[in-house]
Amino acid sequence: MAIVELRFSALPEHVRTARLVAAAVARRAGVAETVLDEVRLAVGEACSRAVGMHRSRADDDRPVTVTLDDGNGRFCIEVNDGVPQPALTEAGVAEGAGLVPDLSANGSGLDLIENEMGLAVILGLVDDLDVRAGAEGGVIRMSWPSGAKSAETVG
Amino acid sequence: MDLSLSTRTEGGRTIVEVGGEIDVYTAPKLREQLVELVNEGQFHLIVDMEAVDFLDSTGLGVLVGGLKRVRAHEGSLQLVCTQERILKIFRITGLTKVFPIHPSVATAIEASD
C-alpha cells in the first residue's frame, strides 16, 4: 500500500497540478490506461468544486487535500475541500438527488447547468463514489480497480 | 498546456477555434471571448473544439453561458468535435440534447444555413 498526499491553496491554477499528479500515481498503481482519462477528469472536477467552495470565503486559507491510495486492489482518491458545511442526507446522495441537472426545461435548466455540473460529471464517471459533508469539510471519495498491469501481461 | 483561442469568419459565421485545456483556470478566458463576440454583434457562433485536449464542467458551463447569450439575440452556438473523450462529457451531462455537435466546421456552417 502506498499513499500520496497533495495539499494546495484553493486556487484554480493548482487544479491542473492535482490532475497531473493523480493521473501519474494512478498509472503507477496499475489503473488501466483506458480509465486514466476518467481519473484525470473526476479528480479535476472534485478539485474544481473544492476551489469553488472557498470562493466566497476570502479569509479562509485552509488548503484542499487530495489523498491518493492504492491499497486493497483499488485506487482511491479522496478530495477534502476543508470547508466546514452541514451534513448531506445519505438517501439524497445515494440517488444523486439534486446533483444532476434536469435538462427537460429548455430555458431554466440552462441556469442550473451553467453553475452545477461538476458533481453530475463525477456521478456519470465513477461507479464507486461517496460524497460527505461535515465540520471537517466536504469530502468526495472515488475509487477504481488497480493492478490492471498484471492482468494485461497474462498470456 | 494553456488555452489557445482564435476567431475567424467563414460562410457568414464566426468560428472560434479553441485549443489546449479548458478547466477552472482557463475557462474565464473562453467566457471573455464569447462575451466579447456577442457584444460585438456576432450571434451565430461555431466553436471548433478539435484541438481541445481537456474539457471539464467549468468549460461546459462557459459554453452553456455562451449559448444563453446568443439565444437572447435569436442566435446560435454550434460545436465541432470528433474526439471521443470530449464527446463523452457532453453525453454524461446530457448536453448533446442542448448543443448541435458537428464533425467539421463545413458541416456546422451547412447546418446553420
Side-chain angles (χ1 to χ4, degrees):
Chain A
M1 186 173 88
I3 292 178
V4 174
E5 191 173 275
L6 173 69
R7 291 197 306 150
F8 63 90
S9 299
L11 297 170
E13 53 264 49
H14 297 321
V15 171
R16 180 171 188 262
T17 306
R19 284 201 307 268
L20 294 175
V21 171
V25 176
R27 180 178 282 120
R28 194 172 174 79
V31 172
E33 287 290 325
T34 50
V35 184
L36 287 178
D37 269 342
E38 291 179 14
V39 173
R40 190 179 295 120
L41 181 55
V43 77
E45 293 293 355
C47 290
S48 297
R49 189 168 184 272
V51 168
M53 296 297 285
H54 285 259
R55 208 165 285 158
S56 56
R57 298 164 174 256
D59 57 336
D60 188 350
D61 58 357
R62 276 173 290 206
V64 175
T65 306
V66 182
T67 308
L68 312 162
D69 182 351
D70 72 348
N72 301 321
R74 305 282 298 177
F75 177 66
C76 298
I77 301 180
E78 197 175 281
V79 178
N80 187 331
D81 59 33
V83 178
Q85 52 208 272
L88 295 168
T89 63
E90 285 193 18
V93 172
E95 293 164 13
L99 302 179
V100 180
D102 176 13
L103 302 184
S104 55
N106 205 19
S108 61
L110 291 183
D111 290 328
L112 186 59
I113 296 166
E114 194 178 357
N115 296 319
E116 187 52 86
M117 290 294 279
L119 272 175
V121 171
I122 295 173
L123 277 167
L125 284 175
V126 186
D127 294 331
D128 181 20
L129 171 69
D130 185 34
V131 182
R132 291 176 192 276
E136 299 301 312
V139 177
I140 294 179
R141 186 190 160 283
M142 312 167 273
S143 83
W144 292 265
S146 63
K149 275 180 184 164
S150 57
E152 282 169 9
T153 53
V154 173
Chain B
M1 185 186 280
D2 210 346
L3 183 75
S4 66
L5 290 169
S6 67
T7 60
R8 67 178 194 277
T9 306
E10 196 176 319
R13 299 287 182 263
T14 303
I15 320 292
V16 183
E17 211 173 276
V18 191
E21 300 188 339
I22 312 175
D23 70 357
V24 67
Y25 180 53
T26 61
K29 272 174 70 178
L30 177 59
R31 180 185 289 116
E32 277 171 29
Q33 176 75 83
L34 296 178
V35 168
E36 200 179 305
L37 288 169
V38 173
N39 289 344
E40 287 170 0
Q42 312 290 328
F43 304 138
H44 292 283
L45 308 178
I46 295 172
V47 179
D48 182 353
M49 305 180 70
E50 285 298 77
V52 171
D53 299 313
F54 180 86
L55 172 74
D56 73 1
S57 64
T58 323
L60 292 177
V62 168
L63 292 172
V64 170
L67 179 65
K68 282 167 57 183
R69 283 187 178 86
V70 294
R71 274 190 182 172
H73 299 277
E74 295 179 2
S76 64
L77 192 153
Q78 308 197 67
L79 304 177
V80 174
C81 182
T82 58
Q83 297 187 72
E84 184 51 36
R85 63 178 174 179
I86 303 290
L87 290 171
K88 184 178 179 180
I89 304 164
F90 284 94
R91 278 199 294 271
I92 286 172
T93 52
L95 286 176
T96 45
K97 297 177 202 165
V98 175
F99 289 105
I101 303 178
H102 302 279
S104 69
V105 170
T107 321
I109 291 171
E110 203 175 304
S112 59
D113 278 340

